[in-house]
Amino acid sequence: QRFMARQLAPRTVLYTEMVVDSTVVHNEHKGLERWYGFDDVEHPVVLQLGGNNVEAMTRSAVLGERWGYDEINLNVGCPSKLVSKNEFGARLMLRPDLVREMVTSIQRQVSVPVTVKCRLGVDDFDSYEFAKDFVARIPECDHFIIHARKCLLNGLSTHGNRTVPPLMYERVYDLCRDFPGKKFSLNGGLTCVDQIGAIADEHPELHGFMVGRAAYNNPCLLPALERRIYGETLRGAFSR
């Protein structure tokens, strides 16, 4: 799927699915091709990791860099009940000091960028001040990819958490204003070229956009977005 996406969108940054730290540690000596393998044409490609053990997350990141990934991303926004039960994903937004410890530990061991993907809040911790404090408590991270809604860890399915809590794009714009030295990319509810293009025009302070389900369901969205954002045809992009 990433290989096909790269043919359609030469400049788009691609992400892996979330790889759990314990899976990596348990399979390191058996072989990691199933989880870490990718084709060279997929660059730039980001390894997304999930977990809550500093040593295991750091080891997973180090191995990811050795495999050739261009960036390490910590998923602190997954609302899955199984993930939450194991105390990682979005539940880690309630433990910003642990997230910071993982970020800084990984940064000491790898040379590629280390980023964080998160939500705006969790359960009743859903004020703008909560999101602002979360970002402030991880000063070493300079790029946050934010799904612009909170999640409910008890009461909603994973699908429900992608659709039921209201989108709050304005809070991401506010984070851009309050942290001008950091980069923020917008995620959540992004479905078409006109919508994303309009947001990009109106909010140039945003670093980028993460599009997941919409691109998965309609891969042709990717080249259309590249034309809108970069002003290039597919052939023109491939000629570089």
Side-chain angles (χ1 to χ4, degrees):
Q1 294 170 340
R2 288 197 307 268
F3 183 89
M4 182 184 72
R6 177 58 69 225
Q7 312 313 306
L8 295 172
R11 295 182 63 173
T12 297
V13 177
L14 302 178
Y15 280 65
T16 67
E17 295 180 310
M18 181 177 68
V19 181
V20 179
D21 59 352
S22 58
T23 299
V24 178
V25 172
H26 292 158
N27 289 281
E28 177 181 352
H29 300 296
K30 301 176 185 178
L32 293 172
E33 178 68 29
R34 173 182 171 185
W35 297 278
Y36 276 23
F38 67 95
D39 193 291
D40 283 343
V41 303
E42 295 175 30
H43 289 289
V45 59
V46 179
L47 173 64
Q48 186 177 90
L49 295 174
N52 62 11
N53 182 285
V54 175
E55 291 184 1
M57 287 288 281
T58 303
R59 181 60 181 168
S60 299
V62 168
L63 292 170
E65 183 178 42
R66 290 181 187 174
W67 274 78
Y69 284 96
D70 300 291
E71 180 181 309
I72 305 297
N73 177 259
L74 276 62
N75 187 328
V76 190
C78 178
S80 158
K81 290 182 179 180
L82 178 61
V83 167
S84 180
K85 180 181 178 181
N86 285 284
E87 298 291 330
F88 64 102
R91 189 169 291 279
L92 284 177
M93 288 200 70
L94 302 174
R95 303 178 67 186
D97 293 338
L98 175 57
V99 177
R100 182 186 185 187
E101 186 178 359
M102 290 191 291
V103 167
T104 56
S105 176
I106 292 171
Q107 287 175 331
R108 286 193 293 268
Q109 297 294 322
V110 304
S111 59
V112 297
V114 181
T115 60
V116 170
K117 183 177 186 293
C118 62
R119 295 259 176 159
L120 284 173
V122 177
D123 294 331
D124 292 332
F125 298 91
D126 58 0
S127 68
Y128 174 69
E129 289 305 317
F130 175 81
K132 182 179 177 181
D133 179 70
F134 180 80
V135 171
R137 291 175 68 174
I138 314 172
E140 294 81 4
C141 179
D142 68 359
H143 184 193
F144 291 82
I145 301 93
I146 299 186
H147 188 143
R149 50 165 59 97
K150 75 171 186 177
C151 68
L152 295 171
L153 297 178
N154 299 304
L156 281 181
S157 65
T158 302
H159 176 266
N161 269 307
R162 290 197 300 266
T163 56
V164 175
L167 288 162
M168 295 179 283
Y169 291 160
E170 291 294 334
R171 291 192 179 182
V172 182
Y173 310 150
D174 289 343
L175 289 171
C176 293
R177 177 200 66 207
D178 289 337
F179 297 92
K182 294 187 181 295
K183 296 178 286 190
F184 295 93
S185 292
L186 186 66
N187 174 237
L190 302 172
T191 59
C192 68
V193 173
D194 288 345
Q195 174 203 23
I196 296 169
I199 295 173
D201 291 342
E202 188 173 350
H203 295 281
E205 68 272 22
L206 289 170
H207 178 70
F209 300 87
M210 175 180 276
V211 181
R213 296 281 164 178
Y216 180 85
N217 293 328
N218 177 22
C220 291
L221 176 64
L222 293 174
L225 276 173
E226 287 213 351
R227 288 193 297 271
R228 176 63 173 82
I229 299 298
Y230 298 118
E232 295 178 330
T233 64
L234 189 62
R235 180 175 296 178
F238 269 125
S239 70
R240 283 171 169 73

